[in-house]
Amino acid sequence: MKMKNMFVAIILLSILTITSAFAEDFTLTQSIKWTMGSEIETSSGKLRGVSVEGAYIDSRGHKGTITCIGSVGENFKADCHLKDEDGDFVYADALRKGVDGVSKMSGGTGKYKNITADCVYKIASTNKEASLGLVTSKCTTN
């Protein structure tokens, strides 16, 4: 699996979001690997491309894969999708400065079509030499 820099959120990512159409809180745990890409200079500093891939499980028993594409500079920003065991996708974004971040799930396919959720996530553990991380999220469906 290939991934890029510091999660997302993520991972989203948060990150995030997976499950049924009931309004409730849930948690999401992601094991990720990131891969750094090209770097450019911008008016606000250097930005470096990052891709993140990994696996997740949520507190409702859903599990699947997470994929994110983003950039790292002063902040980490990424767009992600989570694909569950049924093949349904959740679309999410992730924003992080430091180890804490936020993510928003914005619908998806199948059971996630009209579901939204707000998540707060934390980088629980990293191994920078191996580009691996563990991300935990607390989410509330809207």
Side-chain angles (χ1 to χ4, degrees), residues 31-65:
S31 173
I32 62 167
K33 179 164 181 53
W34 66 89
T35 305
M36 299 305 295
S38 298
E39 182 176 278
I40 62 169
E41 191 69 39
T42 70
S43 61
S44 59
K46 289 184 181 181
L47 279 182
R48 191 159 192 198
V50 62
S51 66
V52 177
E53 293 184 11
Y56 73 87
I57 188 166
D58 73 18
S59 59
R60 296 180 274 188
H62 295 273
K63 58 188 173 191
T65 60

PDB file of all heavy atoms in Angstrom, residues 31-65:
ATOM      1  N   SER A  31      -5.179   2.785  10.054  1.00  0.00           N
ATOM      2  CA  SER A  31      -3.763   2.453   9.955  1.00  0.00           C
ATOM      3  C   SER A  31      -3.337   2.884   8.560  1.00  0.00           C
ATOM      4  O   SER A  31      -3.909   2.404   7.573  1.00  0.00           O
ATOM      5  CB  SER A  31      -3.576   0.950  10.141  1.00  0.00           C
ATOM      6  OG  SER A  31      -2.240   0.601   9.890  1.00  0.00           O
ATOM      7  N   ILE A  32      -2.371   3.805   8.476  1.00  0.00           N
ATOM      8  CA  ILE A  32      -2.065   4.397   7.174  1.00  0.00           C
ATOM      9  C   ILE A  32      -0.580   4.363   6.848  1.00  0.00           C
ATOM     10  O   ILE A  32       0.270   4.243   7.722  1.00  0.00           O
ATOM     11  CB  ILE A  32      -2.557   5.852   7.096  1.00  0.00           C
ATOM     12  CG1 ILE A  32      -1.858   6.699   8.138  1.00  0.00           C
ATOM     13  CG2 ILE A  32      -4.073   5.931   7.259  1.00  0.00           C
ATOM     14  CD1 ILE A  32      -2.034   8.171   7.926  1.00  0.00           C
ATOM     15  N   LYS A  33      -0.305   4.507   5.564  1.00  0.00           N
ATOM     16  CA  LYS A  33       1.057   4.678   5.054  1.00  0.00           C
ATOM     17  C   LYS A  33       1.005   5.850   4.083  1.00  0.00           C
ATOM     18  O   LYS A  33       0.075   5.960   3.302  1.00  0.00           O
ATOM     19  CB  LYS A  33       1.530   3.426   4.335  1.00  0.00           C
ATOM     20  CG  LYS A  33       2.937   3.574   3.762  1.00  0.00           C
ATOM     21  CD  LYS A  33       3.550   2.249   3.409  1.00  0.00           C
ATOM     22  CE  LYS A  33       4.946   2.365   2.867  1.00  0.00           C
ATOM     23  NZ  LYS A  33       5.883   3.107   3.689  1.00  0.00           N
ATOM     24  N   TRP A  34       1.988   6.737   4.169  1.00  0.00           N
ATOM     25  CA  TRP A  34       2.006   7.884   3.278  1.00  0.00           C
ATOM     26  C   TRP A  34       3.238   7.867   2.392  1.00  0.00           C
ATOM     27  O   TRP A  34       4.266   7.290   2.734  1.00  0.00           O
ATOM     28  CB  TRP A  34       1.902   9.200   4.042  1.00  0.00           C
ATOM     29  CG  TRP A  34       3.062   9.536   4.914  1.00  0.00           C
ATOM     30  CD1 TRP A  34       4.196  10.227   4.553  1.00  0.00           C
ATOM     31  CD2 TRP A  34       3.230   9.203   6.288  1.00  0.00           C
ATOM     32  NE1 TRP A  34       5.041  10.340   5.626  1.00  0.00           N
ATOM     33  CE2 TRP A  34       4.471   9.723   6.705  1.00  0.00           C
ATOM     34  CE3 TRP A  34       2.448   8.526   7.223  1.00  0.00           C
ATOM     35  CZ2 TRP A  34       4.950   9.589   7.997  1.00  0.00           C
ATOM     36  CZ3 TRP A  34       2.919   8.386   8.513  1.00  0.00           C
ATOM     37  CH2 TRP A  34       4.150   8.918   8.889  1.00  0.00           C
ATOM     38  N   THR A  35       3.106   8.511   1.231  1.00  0.00           N
ATOM     39  CA  THR A  35       4.193   8.655   0.270  1.00  0.00           C
ATOM     40  C   THR A  35       4.268  10.117  -0.130  1.00  0.00           C
ATOM     41  O   THR A  35       3.257  10.710  -0.514  1.00  0.00           O
ATOM     42  CB  THR A  35       3.941   7.789  -0.984  1.00  0.00           C
ATOM     43  OG1 THR A  35       3.731   6.437  -0.575  1.00  0.00           O
ATOM     44  CG2 THR A  35       5.105   7.867  -1.948  1.00  0.00           C
ATOM     45  N   MET A  36       5.461  10.686  -0.025  1.00  0.00           N
ATOM     46  CA  MET A  36       5.652  12.085  -0.381  1.00  0.00           C
ATOM     47  C   MET A  36       5.918  12.207  -1.871  1.00  0.00           C
ATOM     48  O   MET A  36       6.583  11.361  -2.468  1.00  0.00           O
ATOM     49  CB  MET A  36       6.820  12.684   0.402  1.00  0.00           C
ATOM     50  CG  MET A  36       6.612  12.663   1.911  1.00  0.00           C
ATOM     51  SD  MET A  36       5.083  13.461   2.453  1.00  0.00           S
ATOM     52  CE  MET A  36       5.399  15.141   1.987  1.00  0.00           C
ATOM     53  N   GLY A  37       5.374  13.284  -2.460  1.00  0.00           N
ATOM     54  CA  GLY A  37       5.546  13.529  -3.884  1.00  0.00           C
ATOM     55  C   GLY A  37       6.363  14.777  -4.147  1.00  0.00           C
ATOM     56  O   GLY A  37       7.218  15.158  -3.349  1.00  0.00           O
ATOM     57  N   SER A  38       6.061  15.435  -5.231  1.00  0.00           N
ATOM     58  CA  SER A  38       6.795  16.622  -5.656  1.00  0.00           C
ATOM     59  C   SER A  38       6.601  17.776  -4.686  1.00  0.00           C
ATOM     60  O   SER A  38       5.604  17.852  -3.965  1.00  0.00           O
ATOM     61  CB  SER A  38       6.315  17.057  -7.044  1.00  0.00           C
ATOM     62  OG  SER A  38       6.574  16.047  -7.974  1.00  0.00           O
ATOM     63  N   GLU A  39       7.555  18.704  -4.742  1.00  0.00           N
ATOM     64  CA  GLU A  39       7.512  19.884  -3.882  1.00  0.00           C
ATOM     65  C   GLU A  39       7.571  21.125  -4.761  1.00  0.00           C
ATOM     66  O   GLU A  39       8.286  21.144  -5.762  1.00  0.00           O
ATOM     67  CB  GLU A  39       8.713  19.850  -2.937  1.00  0.00           C
ATOM     68  CG  GLU A  39       8.758  20.987  -1.959  1.00  0.00           C
ATOM     69  CD  GLU A  39       9.916  20.828  -0.991  1.00  0.00           C
ATOM     70  OE1 GLU A  39       9.761  20.086  -0.007  1.00  0.00           O
ATOM     71  OE2 GLU A  39      10.975  21.444  -1.253  1.00  0.00           O
ATOM     72  N   ILE A  40       6.796  22.151  -4.379  1.00  0.00           N
ATOM     73  CA  ILE A  40       6.842  23.426  -5.088  1.00  0.00           C
ATOM     74  C   ILE A  40       6.929  24.560  -4.074  1.00  0.00           C
ATOM     75  O   ILE A  40       6.558  24.411  -2.915  1.00  0.00           O
ATOM     76  CB  ILE A  40       5.612  23.647  -6.004  1.00  0.00           C
ATOM     77  CG1 ILE A  40       4.319  23.689  -5.185  1.00  0.00           C
ATOM     78  CG2 ILE A  40       5.547  22.597  -7.093  1.00  0.00           C
ATOM     79  CD1 ILE A  40       3.108  24.152  -5.974  1.00  0.00           C
ATOM     80  N   GLU A  41       7.417  25.686  -4.535  1.00  0.00           N
ATOM     81  CA  GLU A  41       7.469  26.896  -3.726  1.00  0.00           C
ATOM     82  C   GLU A  41       6.225  27.720  -4.061  1.00  0.00           C
ATOM     83  O   GLU A  41       5.879  27.881  -5.227  1.00  0.00           O
ATOM     84  CB  GLU A  41       8.734  27.691  -4.071  1.00  0.00           C
ATOM     85  CG  GLU A  41       9.040  28.812  -3.129  1.00  0.00           C
ATOM     86  CD  GLU A  41       9.466  28.339  -1.740  1.00  0.00           C
ATOM     87  OE1 GLU A  41      10.203  27.349  -1.634  1.00  0.00           O
ATOM     88  OE2 GLU A  41       9.030  28.972  -0.767  1.00  0.00           O
ATOM     89  N   THR A  42       5.511  28.194  -3.037  1.00  0.00           N
ATOM     90  CA  THR A  42       4.339  29.041  -3.237  1.00  0.00           C
ATOM     91  C   THR A  42       4.532  30.334  -2.464  1.00  0.00           C
ATOM     92  O   THR A  42       5.488  30.472  -1.691  1.00  0.00           O
ATOM     93  CB  THR A  42       3.048  28.353  -2.741  1.00  0.00           C
ATOM     94  OG1 THR A  42       3.072  28.295  -1.317  1.00  0.00           O
ATOM     95  CG2 THR A  42       2.901  26.958  -3.319  1.00  0.00           C
ATOM     96  N   SER A  43       3.611  31.277  -2.638  1.00  0.00           N
ATOM     97  CA  SER A  43       3.704  32.547  -1.914  1.00  0.00           C
ATOM     98  C   SER A  43       3.601  32.351  -0.410  1.00  0.00           C
ATOM     99  O   SER A  43       4.062  33.183   0.365  1.00  0.00           O
ATOM    100  CB  SER A  43       2.628  33.512  -2.399  1.00  0.00           C
ATOM    101  OG  SER A  43       1.349  32.969  -2.160  1.00  0.00           O
ATOM    102  N   SER A  44       3.013  31.249   0.038  1.00  0.00           N
ATOM    103  CA  SER A  44       2.893  30.985   1.477  1.00  0.00           C
ATOM    104  C   SER A  44       3.905  29.944   1.966  1.00  0.00           C
ATOM    105  O   SER A  44       3.787  29.440   3.072  1.00  0.00           O
ATOM    106  CB  SER A  44       1.467  30.542   1.811  1.00  0.00           C
ATOM    107  OG  SER A  44       1.132  29.385   1.099  1.00  0.00           O
ATOM    108  N   GLY A  45       4.879  29.596   1.147  1.00  0.00           N
ATOM    109  CA  GLY A  45       5.905  28.637   1.555  1.00  0.00           C
ATOM    110  C   GLY A  45       5.904  27.403   0.667  1.00  0.00           C
ATOM    111  O   GLY A  45       5.226  27.351  -0.354  1.00  0.00           O
ATOM    112  N   LYS A  46       6.664  26.403   1.083  1.00  0.00           N
ATOM    113  CA  LYS A  46       6.768  25.166   0.311  1.00  0.00           C
ATOM    114  C   LYS A  46       5.548  24.297   0.530  1.00  0.00           C
ATOM    115  O   LYS A  46       5.022  24.194   1.635  1.00  0.00           O
ATOM    116  CB  LYS A  46       8.009  24.378   0.721  1.00  0.00           C
ATOM    117  CG  LYS A  46       9.290  25.003   0.287  1.00  0.00           C
ATOM    118  CD  LYS A  46      10.465  24.137   0.647  1.00  0.00           C
ATOM    119  CE  LYS A  46      11.748  24.836   0.211  1.00  0.00           C
ATOM    120  NZ  LYS A  46      12.924  24.028   0.518  1.00  0.00           N
ATOM    121  N   LEU A  47       5.097  23.669  -0.564  1.00  0.00           N
ATOM    122  CA  LEU A  47       4.031  22.660  -0.512  1.00  0.00           C
ATOM    123  C   LEU A  47       4.582  21.391  -1.123  1.00  0.00           C
ATOM    124  O   LEU A  47       5.275  21.425  -2.139  1.00  0.00           O
ATOM    125  CB  LEU A  47       2.803  23.088  -1.312  1.00  0.00           C
ATOM    126  CG  LEU A  47       1.829  24.039  -0.674  1.00  0.00           C
ATOM    127  CD1 LEU A  47       0.663  24.299  -1.623  1.00  0.00           C
ATOM    128  CD2 LEU A  47       1.319  23.523   0.646  1.00  0.00           C
ATOM    129  N   ARG A  48       4.220  20.276  -0.502  1.00  0.00           N
ATOM    130  CA  ARG A  48       4.665  18.988  -1.012  1.00  0.00           C
ATOM    131  C   ARG A  48       3.462  18.083  -1.166  1.00  0.00           C
ATOM    132  O   ARG A  48       2.623  18.000  -0.270  1.00  0.00           O
ATOM    133  CB  ARG A  48       5.655  18.371  -0.036  1.00  0.00           C
ATOM    134  CG  ARG A  48       6.346  17.173  -0.598  1.00  0.00           C
ATOM    135  CD  ARG A  48       7.620  16.919   0.135  1.00  0.00           C
ATOM    136  NE  ARG A  48       8.379  15.943  -0.630  1.00  0.00           N
ATOM    137  CZ  ARG A  48       9.350  15.242  -0.143  1.00  0.00           C
ATOM    138  NH1 ARG A  48       9.715  15.398   1.106  1.00  0.00           N
ATOM    139  NH2 ARG A  48       9.981  14.372  -0.899  1.00  0.00           N
ATOM    140  N   GLY A  49       3.360  17.425  -2.304  1.00  0.00           N
ATOM    141  CA  GLY A  49       2.271  16.489  -2.543  1.00  0.00           C
ATOM    142  C   GLY A  49       2.418  15.257  -1.663  1.00  0.00           C
ATOM    143  O   GLY A  49       3.526  14.850  -1.324  1.00  0.00           O
ATOM    144  N   VAL A  50       1.277  14.693  -1.284  1.00  0.00           N
ATOM    145  CA  VAL A  50       1.298  13.503  -0.441  1.00  0.00           C
ATOM    146  C   VAL A  50       0.125  12.604  -0.819  1.00  0.00           C
ATOM    147  O   VAL A  50      -0.947  13.094  -1.174  1.00  0.00           O
ATOM    148  CB  VAL A  50       1.244  13.874   1.064  1.00  0.00           C
ATOM    149  CG1 VAL A  50      -0.027  14.598   1.406  1.00  0.00           C
ATOM    150  CG2 VAL A  50       1.413  12.665   1.953  1.00  0.00           C
ATOM    151  N   SER A  51       0.352  11.301  -0.812  1.00  0.00           N
ATOM    152  CA  SER A  51      -0.757  10.359  -0.977  1.00  0.00           C
ATOM    153  C   SER A  51      -0.766   9.441   0.237  1.00  0.00           C
ATOM    154  O   SER A  51       0.284   9.123   0.801  1.00  0.00           O
ATOM    155  CB  SER A  51      -0.636   9.552  -2.278  1.00  0.00           C
ATOM    156  OG  SER A  51       0.480   8.711  -2.236  1.00  0.00           O
ATOM    157  N   VAL A  52      -1.966   9.082   0.657  1.00  0.00           N
ATOM    158  CA  VAL A  52      -2.148   8.261   1.855  1.00  0.00           C
ATOM    159  C   VAL A  52      -3.025   7.072   1.481  1.00  0.00           C
ATOM    160  O   VAL A  52      -4.041   7.245   0.799  1.00  0.00           O
ATOM    161  CB  VAL A  52      -2.826   9.076   2.983  1.00  0.00           C
ATOM    162  CG1 VAL A  52      -3.089   8.209   4.208  1.00  0.00           C
ATOM    163  CG2 VAL A  52      -1.990  10.297   3.346  1.00  0.00           C
ATOM    164  N   GLU A  53      -2.637   5.901   1.925  1.00  0.00           N
ATOM    165  CA  GLU A  53      -3.454   4.703   1.750  1.00  0.00           C
ATOM    166  C   GLU A  53      -3.414   3.912   3.034  1.00  0.00           C
ATOM    167  O   GLU A  53      -2.443   3.976   3.785  1.00  0.00           O
ATOM    168  CB  GLU A  53      -2.937   3.845   0.595  1.00  0.00           C
ATOM    169  CG  GLU A  53      -3.101   4.507  -0.758  1.00  0.00           C
ATOM    170  CD  GLU A  53      -2.670   3.608  -1.896  1.00  0.00           C
ATOM    171  OE1 GLU A  53      -2.428   2.402  -1.671  1.00  0.00           O
ATOM    172  OE2 GLU A  53      -2.569   4.116  -3.015  1.00  0.00           O
ATOM    173  N   GLY A  54      -4.504   3.197   3.300  1.00  0.00           N
ATOM    174  CA  GLY A  54      -4.518   2.388   4.502  1.00  0.00           C
ATOM    175  C   GLY A  54      -5.819   1.641   4.680  1.00  0.00           C
ATOM    176  O   GLY A  54      -6.596   1.481   3.742  1.00  0.00           O
ATOM    177  N   ALA A  55      -6.021   1.217   5.905  1.00  0.00           N
ATOM    178  CA  ALA A  55      -7.217   0.455   6.266  1.00  0.00           C
ATOM    179  C   ALA A  55      -7.863   1.118   7.471  1.00  0.00           C
ATOM    180  O   ALA A  55      -7.200   1.819   8.241  1.00  0.00           O
ATOM    181  CB  ALA A  55      -6.838  -0.983   6.598  1.00  0.00           C
ATOM    182  N   TYR A  56      -9.169   0.895   7.636  1.00  0.00           N
ATOM    183  CA  TYR A  56      -9.872   1.469   8.772  1.00  0.00           C
ATOM    184  C   TYR A  56     -10.904   0.483   9.305  1.00  0.00           C
ATOM    185  O   TYR A  56     -11.310  -0.454   8.627  1.00  0.00           O
ATOM    186  CB  TYR A  56     -10.570   2.783   8.399  1.00  0.00           C
ATOM    187  CG  TYR A  56     -11.792   2.573   7.553  1.00  0.00           C
ATOM    188  CD1 TYR A  56     -13.035   2.345   8.131  1.00  0.00           C
ATOM    189  CD2 TYR A  56     -11.704   2.542   6.170  1.00  0.00           C
ATOM    190  CE1 TYR A  56     -14.155   2.101   7.358  1.00  0.00           C
ATOM    191  CE2 TYR A  56     -12.813   2.307   5.390  1.00  0.00           C
ATOM    192  CZ  TYR A  56     -14.036   2.086   5.991  1.00  0.00           C
ATOM    193  OH  TYR A  56     -15.140   1.835   5.219  1.00  0.00           O
ATOM    194  N   ILE A  57     -11.328   0.759  10.531  1.00  0.00           N
ATOM    195  CA  ILE A  57     -12.468   0.087  11.144  1.00  0.00           C
ATOM    196  C   ILE A  57     -13.167   1.143  11.988  1.00  0.00           C
ATOM    197  O   ILE A  57     -12.515   2.009  12.561  1.00  0.00           O
ATOM    198  CB  ILE A  57     -12.048  -1.141  11.979  1.00  0.00           C
ATOM    199  CG1 ILE A  57     -13.288  -1.915  12.430  1.00  0.00           C
ATOM    200  CG2 ILE A  57     -11.160  -0.741  13.137  1.00  0.00           C
ATOM    201  CD1 ILE A  57     -12.983  -3.307  12.963  1.00  0.00           C
ATOM    202  N   ASP A  58     -14.511   1.091  12.026  1.00  0.00           N
ATOM    203  CA  ASP A  58     -15.222   2.052  12.870  1.00  0.00           C
ATOM    204  C   ASP A  58     -15.930   1.330  14.008  1.00  0.00           C
ATOM    205  O   ASP A  58     -15.970   0.102  14.050  1.00  0.00           O
ATOM    206  CB  ASP A  58     -16.158   2.948  12.056  1.00  0.00           C
ATOM    207  CG  ASP A  58     -17.405   2.276  11.551  1.00  0.00           C
ATOM    208  OD1 ASP A  58     -17.795   1.212  12.056  1.00  0.00           O
ATOM    209  OD2 ASP A  58     -18.026   2.841  10.632  1.00  0.00           O
ATOM    210  N   SER A  59     -16.465   2.103  14.933  1.00  0.00           N
ATOM    211  CA  SER A  59     -17.077   1.530  16.131  1.00  0.00           C
ATOM    212  C   SER A  59     -18.392   0.827  15.846  1.00  0.00           C
ATOM    213  O   SER A  59     -18.931   0.156  16.722  1.00  0.00           O
ATOM    214  CB  SER A  59     -17.295   2.633  17.182  1.00  0.00           C
ATOM    215  OG  SER A  59     -18.130   3.650  16.673  1.00  0.00           O
ATOM    216  N   ARG A  60     -18.886   0.938  14.617  1.00  0.00           N
ATOM    217  CA  ARG A  60     -20.108   0.225  14.244  1.00  0.00           C
ATOM    218  C   ARG A  60     -19.801  -1.059  13.478  1.00  0.00           C
ATOM    219  O   ARG A  60     -20.689  -1.708  12.969  1.00  0.00           O
ATOM    220  CB  ARG A  60     -21.019   1.153  13.452  1.00  0.00           C
ATOM    221  CG  ARG A  60     -21.487   2.339  14.323  1.00  0.00           C
ATOM    222  CD  ARG A  60     -22.384   3.262  13.589  1.00  0.00           C
ATOM    223  NE  ARG A  60     -21.570   4.225  12.867  1.00  0.00           N
ATOM    224  CZ  ARG A  60     -22.066   5.277  12.239  1.00  0.00           C
ATOM    225  NH1 ARG A  60     -23.358   5.498  12.235  1.00  0.00           N
ATOM    226  NH2 ARG A  60     -21.279   6.102  11.611  1.00  0.00           N
ATOM    227  N   GLY A  61     -18.529  -1.396  13.385  1.00  0.00           N
ATOM    228  CA  GLY A  61     -18.145  -2.657  12.760  1.00  0.00           C
ATOM    229  C   GLY A  61     -17.854  -2.584  11.281  1.00  0.00           C
ATOM    230  O   GLY A  61     -17.513  -3.596  10.671  1.00  0.00           O
ATOM    231  N   HIS A  62     -17.952  -1.408  10.667  1.00  0.00           N
ATOM    232  CA  HIS A  62     -17.608  -1.272   9.253  1.00  0.00           C
ATOM    233  C   HIS A  62     -16.094  -1.196   9.121  1.00  0.00           C
ATOM    234  O   HIS A  62     -15.409  -0.649   9.973  1.00  0.00           O
ATOM    235  CB  HIS A  62     -18.237  -0.011   8.662  1.00  0.00           C
ATOM    236  CG  HIS A  62     -19.717  -0.043   8.637  1.00  0.00           C
ATOM    237  ND1 HIS A  62     -20.433  -0.593   7.612  1.00  0.00           N
ATOM    238  CD2 HIS A  62     -20.627   0.395   9.535  1.00  0.00           C
ATOM    239  CE1 HIS A  62     -21.729  -0.487   7.867  1.00  0.00           C
ATOM    240  NE2 HIS A  62     -21.867   0.103   9.042  1.00  0.00           N
ATOM    241  N   LYS A  63     -15.595  -1.760   8.027  1.00  0.00           N
ATOM    242  CA  LYS A  63     -14.165  -1.713   7.773  1.00  0.00           C
ATOM    243  C   LYS A  63     -13.937  -1.601   6.284  1.00  0.00           C
ATOM    244  O   LYS A  63     -14.814  -1.902   5.475  1.00  0.00           O
ATOM    245  CB  LYS A  63     -13.482  -2.947   8.334  1.00  0.00           C
ATOM    246  CG  LYS A  63     -14.020  -4.234   7.773  1.00  0.00           C
ATOM    247  CD  LYS A  63     -13.455  -5.417   8.502  1.00  0.00           C
ATOM    248  CE  LYS A  63     -14.174  -6.668   8.010  1.00  0.00           C
ATOM    249  NZ  LYS A  63     -13.880  -7.815   8.830  1.00  0.00           N
ATOM    250  N   GLY A  64     -12.747  -1.150   5.929  1.00  0.00           N
ATOM    251  CA  GLY A  64     -12.432  -0.998   4.523  1.00  0.00           C
ATOM    252  C   GLY A  64     -11.094  -0.325   4.329  1.00  0.00           C
ATOM    253  O   GLY A  64     -10.213  -0.398   5.182  1.00  0.00           O
ATOM    254  N   THR A  65     -10.960   0.348   3.193  1.00  0.00           N
ATOM    255  CA  THR A  65      -9.714   1.022   2.827  1.00  0.00           C
ATOM    256  C   THR A  65      -9.927   2.524   2.753  1.00  0.00           C
ATOM    257  O   THR A  65     -11.046   2.998   2.528  1.00  0.00           O
ATOM    258  CB  THR A  65      -9.192   0.517   1.472  1.00  0.00           C
ATOM    259  OG1 THR A  65     -10.178   0.773   0.461  1.00  0.00           O
ATOM    260  CG2 THR A  65      -8.870  -0.970   1.528  1.00  0.00           C
TER     261      THR A  65
END
